[in-house]
Coordinates of all heavy atoms in Angstrom, one line a residue:
M1 N -21.0 98.5 147.7 CA -19.5 98.4 147.6 C -19.0 99.7 147.0 O -19.5 100.2 146.0 CB -19.1 97.2 146.7 CG -17.7 97.1 146.6 SD -17.0 95.8 145.5 CE -18.0 94.4 145.7
T2 N -17.9 100.2 147.5 CA -17.3 101.4 147.0 C -15.9 101.1 146.3 O -15.3 100.1 146.7 CB -17.0 102.5 148.1 OG1 -16.1 101.9 149.0 CG2 -18.3 102.9 148.8
N3 N -15.5 101.9 145.4 CA -14.2 101.7 144.7 C -13.1 102.6 145.3 O -12.0 102.6 144.8 CB -14.4 102.1 143.2 CG -15.3 101.1 142.5 OD1 -15.3 99.9 142.9 ND2 -15.9 101.5 141.5
G4 N -13.4 103.3 146.4 CA -12.3 104.1 146.9 C -12.2 105.4 146.2 O -13.0 105.8 145.4
N5 N -11.2 106.2 146.6 CA -11.1 107.5 146.0 C -10.3 107.5 144.7 O -9.0 107.3 144.7 CB -10.4 108.4 147.0 CG -10.3 109.9 146.6 OD1 -10.5 110.2 145.4 ND2 -10.0 110.8 147.5
K6 N -10.9 107.6 143.6 CA -10.3 107.5 142.3 C -9.3 108.6 142.0 O -8.5 108.5 141.2 CB -11.3 107.3 141.2 CG -12.0 106.0 141.2 CD -13.0 105.9 140.1 CE -13.8 104.6 140.1 NZ -14.7 104.5 139.0
S7 N -9.5 109.8 142.7 CA -8.7 110.9 142.5 C -7.2 110.7 142.9 O -6.3 111.3 142.5 CB -9.2 112.1 143.2 OG -9.1 112.0 144.6
K8 N -7.0 109.7 143.8 CA -5.7 109.4 144.3 C -5.0 108.3 143.4 O -3.8 108.1 143.6 CB -5.7 108.8 145.7 CG -6.2 109.9 146.7 CD -6.2 109.3 148.1 CE -6.6 110.4 149.1 NZ -6.7 109.9 150.4
R9 N -5.7 107.8 142.4 CA -5.1 106.8 141.6 C -4.2 107.4 140.5 O -4.6 108.5 140.0 CB -6.1 105.9 140.9 CG -6.9 105.0 141.9 CD -7.8 104.1 141.2 NE -8.6 103.4 142.3 CZ -9.7 102.8 142.0 NH1 -10.2 102.8 140.8 NH2 -10.4 102.3 143.0
E10 N -3.2 106.7 140.1 CA -2.3 107.2 139.0 C -3.0 107.0 137.6 O -3.5 105.9 137.4 CB -1.0 106.5 139.0 CG 0.1 107.1 138.2 CD 0.6 108.4 138.7 OE1 0.6 108.7 139.9 OE2 0.9 109.3 137.8
H11 N -3.0 107.9 136.8 CA -3.6 107.7 135.4 C -2.7 106.8 134.6 O -1.5 106.9 134.7 CB -3.7 109.1 134.7 CG -4.6 109.0 133.5 ND1 -4.1 108.7 132.3 CD2 -5.9 109.2 133.4 CE1 -5.1 108.7 131.4 NE2 -6.2 109.0 132.0
L12 N -3.3 105.9 133.9 CA -2.5 104.9 133.1 C -1.5 105.5 132.2 O -0.4 105.0 132.0 CB -3.4 104.0 132.3 CG -4.2 103.0 133.2 CD1 -5.1 102.1 132.3 CD2 -3.2 102.1 134.0
D13 N -1.8 106.7 131.6 CA -0.9 107.3 130.6 C 0.4 107.7 131.3 O 1.5 107.8 130.7 CB -1.5 108.5 130.0 CG -2.6 108.1 129.0 OD1 -2.6 107.0 128.5 OD2 -3.4 109.0 128.7
N14 N 0.3 108.0 132.6 CA 1.5 108.4 133.4 C 2.4 107.2 133.8 O 3.5 107.4 134.3 CB 1.1 109.1 134.7 CG 0.4 110.4 134.4 OD1 0.5 111.0 133.4 ND2 -0.5 110.8 135.3
L15 N 2.0 106.0 133.5 CA 2.7 104.8 133.9 C 3.5 104.2 132.7 O 4.2 103.2 132.9 CB 1.8 103.8 134.5 CG 1.1 104.2 135.8 CD1 0.1 103.1 136.3 CD2 2.1 104.6 136.9
H16 N 3.4 104.8 131.6 CA 4.1 104.2 130.4 C 5.1 105.3 129.8 O 4.8 106.4 129.8 CB 3.1 103.9 129.3 CG 2.1 102.8 129.7 ND1 2.5 101.5 129.7 CD2 0.9 102.8 130.1 CE1 1.5 100.7 130.1 NE2 0.5 101.5 130.3
V17 N 6.2 104.8 129.4 CA 7.2 105.6 128.8 C 7.2 105.4 127.3 O 6.8 104.4 126.8 CB 8.6 105.4 129.4 CG1 8.7 105.8 130.9 CG2 9.1 104.0 129.2
N18 N 7.6 106.4 126.6 CA 7.8 106.3 125.1 C 9.0 107.1 124.7 O 9.6 107.8 125.5 CB 6.5 106.7 124.4 CG 6.2 108.1 124.6 OD1 7.0 109.0 124.4 ND2 4.9 108.4 125.0
G19 N 9.4 106.9 123.5 CA 10.7 107.5 122.9 C 10.7 109.0 123.0 O 11.8 109.5 123.1
T20 N 9.6 109.6 123.1 CA 9.6 111.1 123.1 C 10.0 111.6 124.5 O 10.3 112.7 124.7 CB 8.2 111.7 122.8 OG1 7.2 111.2 123.7 CG2 7.9 111.3 121.3
D21 N 9.9 110.7 125.5 CA 10.3 111.1 126.9 C 11.8 111.3 127.0 O 12.3 112.2 127.7 CB 9.9 110.0 127.9 CG 8.4 109.8 128.1 OD1 7.7 110.8 127.8 OD2 8.0 108.7 128.4
R22 N 12.6 110.6 126.2 CA 14.1 110.7 126.2 C 14.5 110.4 124.8 O 14.9 109.3 124.4 CB 14.7 109.7 127.1 CG 14.6 110.0 128.6 CD 15.6 111.1 129.0 NE 15.8 111.1 130.4 CZ 15.2 111.9 131.2 NH1 14.3 112.7 130.8 NH2 15.5 111.9 132.5
P23 N 14.5 111.5 123.9 CA 15.0 111.3 122.5 C 16.4 110.7 122.4 O 17.3 111.1 123.2 CB 14.9 112.7 121.9 CG 14.0 113.4 122.8 CD 14.1 112.9 124.2
G24 N 16.6 109.7 121.6 CA 17.9 109.1 121.4 C 18.1 107.8 122.3 O 19.0 107.1 122.1
W25 N 17.2 107.6 123.3 CA 17.3 106.5 124.1 C 16.6 105.3 123.5 O 15.7 105.5 122.7 CB 16.7 106.8 125.5 CG 17.5 107.7 126.3 CD1 18.1 108.9 125.9 CD2 17.9 107.5 127.7 NE1 18.8 109.4 127.0 CE2 18.6 108.7 128.1 CE3 17.5 106.6 128.7 CZ2 19.1 108.8 129.4 CZ3 18.0 106.8 129.9 CH2 18.8 107.9 130.3
L26 N 17.1 104.1 123.7 CA 16.5 102.9 123.1 C 15.4 102.3 124.0 O 15.5 102.3 125.2 CB 17.6 101.8 123.0 CG 18.8 102.2 122.2 CD1 19.9 101.1 122.3 CD2 18.4 102.4 120.7
P27 N 14.4 101.7 123.4 CA 13.4 101.0 124.1 C 14.1 99.7 124.8 O 15.0 99.1 124.2 CB 12.4 100.5 123.1 CG 12.7 101.3 121.9 CD 14.1 101.7 122.0
G28 N 13.6 99.4 126.0 CA 14.1 98.2 126.7 C 13.9 96.9 126.0 O 14.5 95.9 126.4
T29 N 13.1 96.9 124.9 CA 12.9 95.7 124.2 C 13.9 95.5 123.0 O 14.0 94.4 122.4 CB 11.5 95.7 123.5 OG1 11.3 96.9 122.8 CG2 10.4 95.6 124.6
D30 N 14.7 96.5 122.8 CA 15.7 96.4 121.7 C 16.9 95.5 122.1 O 17.5 94.9 121.2 CB 16.2 97.8 121.3 CG 15.3 98.6 120.4 OD1 14.2 98.1 120.1 OD2 15.7 99.6 119.9
R31 N 17.2 95.5 123.3 CA 18.3 94.6 123.8 C 18.1 94.4 125.3 O 17.4 95.1 126.0 CB 19.7 95.2 123.5 CG 20.0 96.5 124.2 CD 21.5 96.9 124.0 NE 21.8 98.2 124.6 CZ 21.9 98.4 125.8 NH1 21.8 97.5 126.7 NH2 22.2 99.7 126.3
M32 N 18.8 93.4 125.8 CA 18.7 93.1 127.2 C 19.4 94.1 128.1 O 20.5 94.4 128.0 CB 19.4 91.7 127.5 CG 19.4 91.3 128.9 SD 17.9 90.6 129.5 CE 18.0 89.1 128.7
P33 N 18.6 94.8 129.1 CA 19.2 95.7 130.0 C 20.2 95.0 130.9 O 20.0 93.8 131.2 CB 18.0 96.2 130.8 CG 16.8 95.9 130.0 CD 17.2 94.7 129.2
R34 N 21.3 95.7 131.3 CA 22.3 95.1 132.1 C 22.3 95.7 133.5 O 21.9 96.9 133.7 CB 23.7 95.3 131.5 CG 23.8 94.6 130.1 CD 25.2 94.8 129.5 NE 25.5 96.2 129.3 CZ 25.3 96.9 128.2 NH1 24.7 96.3 127.2 NH2 25.6 98.2 128.1
V35 N 22.7 94.9 134.5 CA 22.9 95.5 135.9 C 23.8 96.6 135.9 O 24.9 96.6 135.2 CB 23.4 94.3 136.8 CG1 23.7 94.9 138.2 CG2 22.3 93.2 136.9
G36 N 23.5 97.7 136.5 CA 24.3 98.9 136.6 C 24.0 99.9 135.5 O 24.5 101.0 135.5
E37 N 23.2 99.5 134.5 CA 22.9 100.4 133.4 C 21.9 101.5 133.8 O 20.9 101.2 134.5 CB 22.3 99.5 132.2 CG 22.1 100.3 131.0 CD 21.9 99.4 129.8 OE1 21.6 98.2 129.9 OE2 21.9 99.9 128.6
E38 N 22.1 102.6 133.2 CA 21.2 103.8 133.4 C 19.9 103.6 132.6 O 20.0 103.2 131.4 CB 21.8 105.1 133.0 CG 21.0 106.3 133.3 CD 21.7 107.6 132.9 OE1 22.8 107.5 132.4 OE2 21.0 108.6 133.0
V39 N 18.8 103.8 133.2 CA 17.5 103.6 132.5 C 16.6 104.8 132.8 O 16.8 105.5 133.8 CB 16.8 102.3 132.8 CG1 17.6 101.1 132.3 CG2 16.5 102.2 134.3
Y40 N 15.5 105.0 132.0 CA 14.5 105.9 132.3 C 13.2 105.1 132.4 O 12.9 104.4 131.4 CB 14.4 107.0 131.3 CG 13.4 108.1 131.6 CD1 13.6 109.0 132.5 CD2 12.2 108.0 130.9 CE1 12.6 110.0 132.8 CE2 11.2 109.0 131.2 CZ 11.4 109.9 132.2 OH 10.5 110.9 132.5
C41 N 12.4 105.3 133.4 CA 11.1 104.6 133.6 C 10.1 105.6 134.0 O 10.3 106.8 134.1 CB 11.3 103.5 134.6 SG 11.8 104.0 136.2
A42 N 8.9 105.1 134.3 CA 7.7 105.9 134.7 C 8.1 106.7 135.9 O 7.5 107.8 136.1 CB 6.5 105.1 134.9
G43 N 8.9 106.2 136.8 CA 9.3 106.9 138.0 C 10.4 107.9 137.8 O 10.7 108.7 138.7
G44 N 11.1 107.9 136.6 CA 12.2 108.8 136.4 C 13.4 108.1 136.0 O 13.4 106.9 135.7
A45 N 14.6 108.8 136.2 CA 15.9 108.1 135.9 C 16.3 107.2 137.0 O 16.1 107.5 138.2 CB 16.9 109.2 135.6
G46 N 16.9 106.1 136.6 CA 17.4 105.2 137.7 C 18.5 104.3 137.1 O 18.9 104.4 136.0
T47 N 18.8 103.3 137.9 CA 19.8 102.3 137.6 C 19.3 100.9 137.8 O 18.6 100.6 138.8 CB 21.1 102.5 138.5 OG1 21.5 103.8 138.4 CG2 22.2 101.5 138.1
V48 N 19.6 100.0 136.9 CA 19.1 98.6 137.0 C 20.0 97.9 138.1 O 21.2 97.9 138.0 CB 19.3 97.8 135.7 CG1 19.0 96.4 135.8 CG2 18.5 98.5 134.6
E49 N 19.3 97.3 139.1 CA 19.9 96.6 140.2 C 19.9 95.1 139.9 O 20.9 94.5 140.3 CB 19.3 96.9 141.5 CG 19.5 98.3 142.0 CD 19.3 98.5 143.5 OE1 18.4 97.7 144.0 OE2 19.9 99.3 144.1
T50 N 18.9 94.6 139.4 CA 18.7 93.2 139.1 C 17.9 92.9 137.9 O 17.0 93.7 137.6 CB 18.0 92.5 140.3 OG1 18.6 92.9 141.5 CG2 18.1 91.0 140.2
V51 N 18.3 91.9 137.1 CA 17.5 91.5 135.9 C 16.9 90.1 136.3 O 17.7 89.2 136.6 CB 18.3 91.4 134.7 CG1 17.5 90.9 133.5 CG2 19.0 92.8 134.3
L52 N 15.6 90.0 136.3 CA 14.9 88.8 136.7 C 14.2 88.1 135.5 O 14.6 88.4 134.4 CB 13.9 89.1 137.8 CG 14.6 89.8 139.0 CD1 13.5 90.4 139.9 CD2 15.4 88.8 139.8
G53 N 13.3 87.2 135.8 CA 12.6 86.4 134.8 C 11.8 87.3 133.8 O 11.8 88.5 133.9
K54 N 11.0 86.6 133.0 CA 10.2 87.3 132.0 C 8.9 87.7 132.5 O 8.3 87.0 133.4 CB 10.0 86.3 130.8 CG 11.3 86.1 130.0 CD 11.1 85.4 128.8 CE 12.4 85.3 128.0 NZ 12.2 84.6 126.7
T55 N 8.3 88.8 132.0 CA 7.0 89.3 132.3 C 6.0 88.7 131.3 O 6.4 88.0 130.4 CB 7.0 90.8 132.2 OG1 7.2 91.2 130.9 CG2 8.0 91.4 133.2
G56 N 4.7 89.0 131.5 CA 3.7 88.5 130.6 C 3.9 88.9 129.2 O 3.4 88.2 128.3
D57 N 4.5 90.1 128.9 CA 4.7 90.5 127.5 C 6.0 90.0 126.9 O 6.4 90.3 125.8 CB 4.6 92.0 127.4 CG 5.8 92.7 128.1 OD1 6.7 92.1 128.6 OD2 5.7 94.0 128.2
G58 N 6.7 89.1 127.7 CA 8.0 88.5 127.2 C 9.2 89.3 127.5 O 10.3 88.8 127.2
S59 N 9.1 90.5 128.0 CA 10.3 91.3 128.3 C 10.8 90.9 129.7 O 10.1 90.2 130.5 CB 10.0 92.8 128.3 OG 9.1 93.2 129.3
R60 N 12.0 91.3 130.1 CA 12.5 90.9 131.4 C 12.0 91.8 132.5 O 11.7 93.0 132.3 CB 14.1 91.0 131.4 CG 14.7 90.2 130.3 CD 14.4 88.7 130.5 NE 15.0 88.1 131.7 CZ 15.7 87.0 131.7 NH1 15.9 86.4 130.6 NH2 16.2 86.6 132.8
L61 N 11.9 91.3 133.7 CA 11.5 92.1 134.9 C 12.8 92.7 135.5 O 13.8 92.0 135.7 CB 10.9 91.2 135.9 CG 10.3 91.9 137.2 CD1 9.2 92.9 136.8 CD2 9.8 90.8 138.2
L62 N 12.8 94.0 135.7 CA 14.0 94.7 136.2 C 13.7 95.3 137.6 O 12.6 95.8 137.8 CB 14.3 95.9 135.3 CG 14.4 95.6 133.8 CD1 14.7 96.9 133.0 CD2 15.6 94.6 133.5
Q63 N 14.7 95.2 138.4 CA 14.6 95.9 139.7 C 15.4 97.2 139.5 O 16.6 97.1 139.1 CB 15.2 95.1 140.8 CG 15.0 95.7 142.2 CD 15.5 94.9 143.3 OE1 16.2 93.9 143.1 NE2 15.1 95.2 144.5
I64 N 14.8 98.3 139.7 CA 15.4 99.6 139.4 C 15.4 100.4 140.7 O 14.5 100.5 141.5 CB 14.5 100.4 138.4 CG1 14.5 99.6 137.1 CG2 15.0 101.8 138.1 CD1 13.5 100.1 136.1
R65 N 16.5 101.2 140.9 CA 16.6 102.1 142.0 C 16.7 103.5 141.3 O 17.6 103.8 140.5 CB 17.9 101.9 142.8 CG 18.0 103.0 144.0 CD 19.1 102.7 144.9 NE 19.0 101.4 145.6 CZ 18.4 101.2 146.7 NH1 17.7 102.1 147.3 NH2 18.4 100.0 147.2
L66 N 15.8 104.4 141.7 CA 15.7 105.7 141.2 C 16.9 106.5 141.7 O 17.5 106.2 142.8 CB 14.4 106.4 141.5 CG 13.2 105.8 140.9 CD1 11.9 106.5 141.4 CD2 13.2 105.8 139.4
E67 N 17.2 107.6 141.0 CA 18.3 108.5 141.5 C 18.0 109.3 142.7 O 18.9 109.8 143.3 CB 18.8 109.4 140.3 CG 19.4 108.7 139.1 CD 19.7 109.6 138.0 OE1 19.3 110.8 138.0 OE2 20.4 109.1 137.1
S68 N 16.7 109.4 143.0 CA 16.3 110.2 144.2 C 16.9 109.7 145.4 O 16.9 108.5 145.7 CB 14.8 110.2 144.3 OG 14.2 110.6 143.1
P69 N 17.5 110.5 146.3 CA 18.1 110.0 147.6 C 17.0 109.3 148.4 O 15.9 109.8 148.5 CB 18.5 111.3 148.3 CG 18.6 112.4 147.2 CD 17.6 112.0 146.2
G70 N 17.4 108.2 148.9 CA 16.5 107.4 149.8 C 15.4 106.6 149.1 O 14.6 106.0 149.7
A71 N 15.4 106.7 147.8 CA 14.4 105.9 147.0 C 14.6 104.4 147.1 O 15.7 104.0 147.0 CB 14.4 106.3 145.5
K72 N 13.5 103.7 147.4 CA 13.6 102.3 147.5 C 13.5 101.7 146.1 O 12.8 102.2 145.2 CB 12.4 101.7 148.3 CG 12.6 102.2 149.8 CD 11.5 101.6 150.6 CE 11.6 102.0 152.0 NZ 10.6 101.4 152.9
P73 N 14.1 100.5 145.8 CA 14.1 99.9 144.5 C 12.6 99.4 144.3 O 11.9 99.1 145.2 CB 15.0 98.7 144.6 CG 15.5 98.6 146.0 CD 15.0 99.8 146.8
F74 N 12.3 99.3 143.0 CA 11.0 98.8 142.6 C 11.1 98.0 141.3 O 12.2 98.0 140.7 CB 9.9 99.9 142.5 CG 10.2 100.9 141.3 CD1 9.6 100.7 140.1 CD2 11.1 101.9 141.5 CE1 9.9 101.6 139.0 CE2 11.4 102.8 140.4 CZ 10.8 102.6 139.2
F75 N 10.1 97.4 140.8 CA 10.1 96.5 139.7 C 9.4 97.2 138.5 O 8.4 97.8 138.6 CB 9.5 95.2 140.0 CG 10.3 94.4 141.0 CD1 9.9 94.5 142.4 CD2 11.4 93.7 140.7 CE1 10.6 93.8 143.3 CE2 12.1 93.0 141.7 CZ 11.7 93.1 143.0
A76 N 10.0 96.9 137.3 CA 9.4 97.4 136.1 C 9.7 96.4 134.9 O 10.8 95.8 135.0 CB 9.9 98.8 135.7
A77 N 8.8 96.3 134.0 CA 9.1 95.5 132.8 C 10.1 96.2 131.9 O 10.0 97.4 131.7 CB 7.8 95.2 132.1
A78 N 11.0 95.5 131.3 CA 12.0 96.1 130.4 C 11.2 96.7 129.2 O 11.7 97.7 128.6 CB 12.9 95.1 129.9
S79 N 10.0 96.3 128.9 CA 9.3 96.9 127.8 C 8.8 98.3 128.1 O 8.3 99.0 127.2 CB 8.1 96.0 127.4 OG 7.2 95.8 128.6
N80 N 8.9 98.7 129.4 CA 8.4 100.0 129.8 C 9.5 100.9 130.3 O 9.3 101.7 131.2 CB 7.3 99.9 130.8 CG 6.5 101.1 131.0 OD1 6.3 101.9 130.0 ND2 6.1 101.4 132.2
V81 N 10.8 100.6 129.8 CA 11.9 101.5 130.2 C 12.6 101.9 128.9 O 12.5 101.3 127.9 CB 12.9 100.8 131.2 CG1 12.2 100.4 132.5 CG2 13.6 99.6 130.5
L82 N 13.4 102.9 129.0 CA 14.3 103.4 128.0 C 15.7 103.2 128.4 O 16.0 103.5 129.6 CB 14.0 104.9 127.6 CG 12.6 105.2 127.1 CD1 12.4 106.7 126.9 CD2 12.4 104.5 125.8
L83 N 16.6 102.8 127.6 CA 18.0 102.6 127.9 C 18.8 103.7 127.4 O 18.6 104.2 126.3 CB 18.5 101.3 127.2 CG 17.7 100.0 127.5 CD1 18.2 98.8 126.7 CD2 17.7 99.7 129.0
A84 N 19.8 104.2 128.2 CA 20.7 105.2 127.8 C 21.5 104.9 126.6 O 21.9 103.7 126.4 CB 21.6 105.6 129.0
P85 N 21.7 105.8 125.7 CA 22.5 105.5 124.5 C 23.9 105.2 124.8 O 24.4 105.7 125.8 CB 22.4 106.8 123.6 CG 21.9 107.8 124.5 CD 21.2 107.2 125.7
A86 N 24.5 104.3 124.0 CA 25.9 103.8 124.3 C 26.9 104.9 124.0 O 26.7 105.8 123.2 CB 26.2 102.6 123.6

């Protein structure tokens, strides 16, 4: 059995955001993200399109659309996004 080409896999450190990525921005666990709110996630800057149920870590599941033209929405846990300062 083979595991496929590991060189094409994303490294786990690249899939998590932290406060140093956007100084002054709040972690998504500090408050509930709102639809239309600007966020920063592993994919870059985007906007919350939908707030859904809870994830395994207790944070909300967010549907996010990146700012890149033609980008399709994707899902991220609120615990792994940063919220723009008010």
Side-chain angles (χ1 to χ4, degrees):
M1 181 187 319
T2 63
N3 289 332
N5 187 346
K6 291 183 181 182
S7 67
K8 293 182 181 179
R9 293 185 188 162
E10 193 68 36
H11 193 273
L12 286 179
D13 292 338
N14 296 336
L15 298 176
H16 295 284
V17 296
N18 61 53
T20 61
D21 293 333
R22 287 282 198 264
W25 288 45
L26 301 172
T29 53
D30 279 7
R31 66 171 173 76
M32 174 80 72
R34 297 181 301 269
V35 172
E37 186 168 10
E38 182 183 0
V39 295
Y40 181 79
C41 60
T47 304
V48 176
E49 288 199 332
T50 310
V51 178
L52 302 165
K54 291 188 176 183
T55 64
D57 66 8
S59 67
R60 302 303 290 233
L61 182 64
L62 308 175
Q63 185 175 15
I64 299 171
R65 181 175 300 273
L66 296 178
E67 293 177 349
S68 306
K72 293 183 179 182
F74 67 98
F75 296 96
S79 61
N80 197 33
V81 300
L82 298 173
L83 307 174

